[in-house]
Amino acid sequence: MLGANAEIIKNINLAFLKENKALAAIGGKCVYLDKDKAAAYLLEKAGCRLYNRAKAIELCDDKMLTHAALCVSGVNMPVTVPAPLCYYADSPITEEFVSCTEERLGYPFVVKQNRGSFGAEVELIKNREEFLLAENKLRLTPHFYQQFIAPGGEDVRCIVIGGKFVCAMKRKSTGDFRANIELGGRGERFEADEELVEMCELAAKTLGLDYCGVDVLLSRDDKKYLCEVNSNALFSEAERVCAVNIAKKFAELIISE
Ligand SMILES: Nc1ncnc2c1ncn2[C@@H]1O[C@H](COP(=O)(O)OP(=O)(O)O)[C@@H](O)[C@H]1O
Ligand SMILES: [Mg+2]
């Protein structure tokens, strides 16, 4: 539509990365729809300009790395406590860790695996019993605990392309504290204020993203907290409710560079 040629290359074809033919095919610009960071770095070494870049995908793929990358940027985030990384499933859970986390977060709070999508690895912890159950279950899985931003059940998904805020969609769920569309959340157009625009653009810039979906939580007193940043955000629902052609804006950015 915009006069550019595009070719779809599946990840199984990356096995031929070293052959000149494959190198030539991918030697240009590439909208990278995978989260395979190693393959992304290999493609960049082969001279490909990835949208998004490998480093940005890596930072977003791990919510704790995202947090670390943003924690001195000025972007407001919920209080976040990383769980100690363990090498043995029977490593003791210390009273110090348990009481310190309880003190910092207060019940209820949220547990998340560092990697996860569609709300599947996110749970609400209401008391110490649930906390210890979660900690025991996740001993060998990178995870963290996070302040619960009440009321829950809703957030705002914001699309940023080329460093510029594009549109926002409020997502609401009735039966779940997680607002993910995949879990039954419903989207509606959301009028962003300047503070939200600035927050999303700063997050995208700090993480080095060309395209992303920033999830923002709004507290009861209307404070904004960055929840997570999706380098591979699905956008069909946001396109539908905001009546914006997101794919076209993304393509225009790639062609313009
Ligand atoms: N700290 C929090 N307080 C309140 N709700 C949260 C919090 N973190 C996540 N949620 C809810 O859970 C949903 C899924 O969490 P998120 O971190 O975006 O994981 P995923 O990558 O699985 O979408 C969010 O869209 C939001 O509705
Ligand atoms: Mg999310």
Side-chain angles (χ1 to χ4, degrees):
M1 182 169 72
L2 298 171
N5 292 320
E7 188 189 345
I8 295 172
I9 298 180
K10 295 194 173 170
N11 57 359
I12 44 168
N13 297 106
L14 294 179
F16 308 111
L17 200 62
K18 279 192 175 147
E19 288 177 15
N20 289 338
K21 196 169 153 231
L23 262 185
I26 56 159
K29 296 173 181 179
C30 169
V31 181
Y32 194 72
L33 298 176
D34 209 311
K35 281 197 182 179
D36 182 337
K37 290 145 311 193
Y41 279 115
L42 283 172
L43 285 166
E44 284 184 346
K45 297 284 180 210
C48 196
R49 165 67 163 98
L50 293 198
Y51 294 80
N52 292 300
R53 294 182 197 276
K55 180 73 190 170
I57 293 170
E58 184 173 23
L59 291 177
C60 292
D61 187 44
D62 182 316
K63 294 180 170 76
M64 208 53 229
L65 286 185
T66 313
H67 184 83
L70 292 178
C71 69
V72 291
S73 67
V75 171
N76 191 43
M77 293 181 284
V79 179
T80 297
V81 178
L85 195 60
C86 296
Y87 292 94
Y88 307 104
D90 60 355
S91 302
I93 300 170
T94 67
E95 170 61 25
E96 200 183 359
F97 171 69
V98 171
S99 52
C100 179
T101 307
E102 286 175 329
E103 208 171 290
R104 287 199 67 199
L105 305 180
Y107 291 110
F109 55 78
V110 176
V111 59
K112 295 187 194 185
Q113 295 184 26
N114 290 22
R115 301 183 64 225
S117 302
F118 311 133
E121 322 299 345
V122 178
E123 281 173 53
L124 199 59
I125 304 282
K126 295 185 285 302
N127 50 50
R128 183 174 277 208
E129 194 188 342
E130 290 182 4
F131 182 13
L132 293 177
L133 264 174
E135 187 52 29
N136 267 308
K137 190 177 86 182
L138 296 173
R139 257 353 343 236
L140 300 179
T141 309
H143 65 287
F144 60 91
Y145 296 93
Q146 190 168 73
Q147 175 191 9
F148 174 65
I149 305 301
E154 54 185 64
D155 69 1
V156 182
R157 160 62 59 89
C158 307
I159 302 291
V160 181
I161 299 175
K164 291 269 167 258
F165 179 93
V166 173
C167 61
M169 164 177 75
K170 185 149 194 180
R171 303 185 298 187
K172 279 188 187 172
S173 176
T174 42
D176 201 303
F177 83 99
R178 299 161 299 179
N180 302 69
I181 298 293
E182 296 78 10
L183 293 176
R186 306 280 304 188
E188 60 186 57
R189 204 180 115 81
F190 184 77
E191 205 56 61
D193 62 15
E194 209 172 304
E195 192 189 18
L196 183 63
V197 170
E198 274 174 17
M199 180 186 208
C200 294
E201 291 184 352
L202 178 58
K205 186 175 162 219
T206 308
L207 295 165
L209 290 153
D210 302 298
Y211 163 81
C212 65
V214 184
D215 292 351
V216 178
L217 303 162
L218 304 178
S219 67
R220 282 207 180 93
D221 55 356
D222 216 26
K223 269 213 192 116
K224 299 171 179 68
Y225 296 81
L226 183 131
C227 175
E228 68 151 345
V229 184
N230 302 274
S231 62
N232 298 48
L234 302 177
F235 54 74
S236 56
E237 183 71 356
E239 278 197 329
R240 188 179 68 79
V241 303
C242 301
V244 175
N245 190 335
I246 294 169
K248 186 176 177 202
K249 285 197 183 295
F250 192 13
E252 281 169 349
L253 167 81
I254 295 167
I255 290 165
S256 74
E257 289 195 337

